[in-house]
Amino acid sequence: MENRTAAAEEFILVGFQIGWKAKILVSVGVSFAYILTLLGNVVILCIVCLQRCLHTPMYFFLCNLSVLDLCFASVTVPKMLQNLLSGDKTISFAGCMAQSYFYFLMGTVEYFLLTSMSYDRYAAICNPLHYPTVMNGRVCAQMVLGCWLGGVLSVLFPTILISRLPYCRSKVINHFFCDSGPLLELSCSDTHIIELMDFLLSSVVILCSLSLTIISYAYIISTILHIPTTTGQRKAFNTCASHLTLFLMSSSISIFMYVVPSQKSMSEIRKIPAVLSSIVNPLLSPFIYTLRNDMVKKVFKENFIQSKNLVFPSI
């Protein structure tokens, strides 16, 4: 027990093995992306909260997605920047376990939430007359609560098992955050059961969410094709295209990273999709999905013009 505790006091995150100049460039790029992520998602939250016309189920889910993106990026980016700029690559055992838990928690909740949003679009387009009843405020709140509870319960048990493993091989994690695969490489005990559990849980969450979303969009596309006017088809398709694009981006990256039977030989390969998952996706999400939305752009322009008139009133 003493050897196990001493070996697990802290870990060292290798991160990206690049030169100092490259680290500066990467730090600037990551910082810029992180600031844009914060600004983009905060703008969405403010616009939706302040505009009563946006108090609908779709924008309720979008607000929750923005909160998730803010948390998701904040789990890994600040520590990555600290490691790049200060050279201090250490992370405490408790900090490592917490980072791993919240990373997978946010990712799992996001899948559940995106799946819920596909059902919302299905109800809005395929059953418009019953939509206000089917997707009332209580149902939306219960769906979001179910997403969080599902994420907490599915990630908690594997994280507890990983935290109780003896880590006596090394303290060096070959990643820029405490991913489960590189952590399992450091354990001197048999980790096949935990690897299998990770594989099964990842497969269930990602593939089931993907399947349900594809089924929803099969019905949605079928309904859109029966809309008599081209304008109506375009409007309905634009409402859904961004959501489907975002979901397919997230699922393809996660399938490559986690829906594999063995994780120990992929540490170097998984760094690039991990950057896309934890930095690029949260950055693109508000711009792809919300800020391109016609209603949001209209509200944003109206508020911008109003603010401009207050600052520079016409004489």
Side-chain angles (χ1 to χ4, degrees), residues 177-215:
F177 76 101
C178 293
D179 197 359
S180 60
L183 267 173
L184 293 176
E185 292 183 31
L186 307 185
S187 177
C188 51
S189 62
D190 187 5
T191 61
H192 286 90
I193 299 298
I194 299 178
E195 284 189 54
L196 179 61
M197 183 183 300
D198 279 347
F199 167 68
L200 292 175
L201 286 173
S202 300
S203 300
V204 169
V205 170
I206 298 172
L207 297 181
C208 286
S209 296
L210 181 61
S211 299
L212 291 173
T213 301
I214 290 175
I215 291 172

Side-chain angles (χ1 to χ4, degrees), residues 197-253:
M197 183 183 300
D198 279 347
F199 167 68
L200 292 175
L201 286 173
S202 300
S203 300
V204 169
V205 170
I206 298 172
L207 297 181
C208 286
S209 296
L210 181 61
S211 299
L212 291 173
T213 301
I214 290 175
I215 291 172
S216 296
Y217 272 96
Y219 284 102
I220 289 171
I221 293 172
S222 176
T223 302
I224 290 175
L225 293 177
H226 287 86
I227 296 176
T229 63
T230 305
T231 303
Q233 289 182 347
R234 183 186 62 81
K235 184 177 179 181
F237 183 77
N238 287 341
T239 304
C240 302
S242 299
H243 170 263
L244 189 60
T245 300
L246 179 63
F247 187 87
L248 291 176
M249 284 173 54
S250 300
S251 59
S252 60
I253 293 171

